[in-house]
Amino acid sequence: MARYDDLPYRTCVGITLINPEGLVFIGRRVGGPEHVDQTHVWQMPQGGVDSGEDTWAAAKRELYEETNAQSVEKLGEVSEWLTYDIPRTVAGRAWKGRFRGQKQKWYAMRFTGKDSEINVASPAGHKAEFIDWRWEPMKNLPELIVPFKRPVYERVVQEFTKFAGK
């Protein structure tokens, strides 16, 4: 197995889905080796970019696969890639030990559909990533994510707060 410091970052997208009231979708993760308590189990949708896939297309696909939501409009994106390292204590169990963390391209989207469109229990025929979901004020997001992802969430909140106004 490669040394942790030599492992690459997994290429991903992250989605900040904002409803018309300015609240953000967060899902309660099914689980994972990085979850150490019941407070920090919430996150925004995110997922891998397929080889040759455009990141905007990947963001819409991942959102659909994780939430079933398709009624969206692009609001903006973080201009650069944001990265985080997964803790060394769980690196061998996450992604089969192939990555040290993720590099993510973040997009803000306005949700234009009805809440009934969102289905995390059986989204788009894929395995469920979330067991529950809710709309949350954007300012609360960094306190709900696992601590090692907090700097990314703080940056996303800084970039996208302007889209949370009604």
Side-chain angles (χ1 to χ4, degrees):
M1 184 154 110
R3 283 181 354 109
Y4 176 87
D5 291 335
D6 296 333
L7 292 172
Y9 287 99
R10 180 174 177 248
T11 303
C12 295
V13 291
I15 301 101
T16 302
L17 185 65
I18 305 167
N19 74 8
E21 288 75 41
L23 300 173
V24 177
F25 172 97
I26 57 167
R28 183 181 174 91
R29 289 292 311 254
V30 169
E34 72 275 16
H35 293 122
V36 295
D37 61 42
Q38 293 303 307
T39 301
H40 303 101
V41 292
W42 296 90
Q43 74 174 42
M44 291 181 278
Q46 63 177 53
V49 177
D50 294 336
S51 179
E53 186 177 28
D54 172 78
T55 57
W56 171 241
K60 291 185 294 183
R61 175 186 53 76
E62 282 293 336
L63 179 67
Y64 180 63
E65 289 177 359
E66 294 186 7
T67 70
N68 211 54
Q70 291 184 292
S71 301
V72 298
E73 298 171 348
K74 182 178 177 182
L75 296 172
E77 65 185 84
V78 177
S79 60
E80 69 269 8
W81 292 86
L82 305 181
T83 61
Y84 70 82
D85 290 346
I86 195 162
R88 291 174 186 261
T89 55
V90 297
R93 293 176 284 157
W95 310 300
K96 300 178 184 171
R98 297 179 310 193
F99 302 101
R100 71 179 291 167
Q102 294 190 9
K103 70 174 187 176
Q104 301 174 318
K105 184 63 151 170
W106 277 88
Y107 290 93
M109 299 181 193
R110 174 78 61 211
F111 181 59
T112 60
K114 296 186 182 320
D115 285 3
S116 59
E117 180 179 335
I118 297 172
N119 178 356
V120 298
S122 54
H126 288 77
K127 181 182 172 198
E129 302 243 353
F130 300 121
I131 57 173
D132 197 6
W133 72 277
R134 69 180 190 240
W135 296 109
E136 184 72 27
M138 191 176 295
K139 65 180 176 54
N140 297 348
L141 300 178
E143 295 302 319
L144 298 170
I145 189 68
V146 289
F148 65 88
K149 293 183 184 180
R150 189 166 294 140
V152 168
Y153 271 49
E154 289 169 344
R155 176 68 188 282
V156 168
V157 167
Q158 176 187 2
E159 293 276 340
F160 294 157
T161 293
K162 62 188 173 200
F163 299 124
K166 294 183 184 176

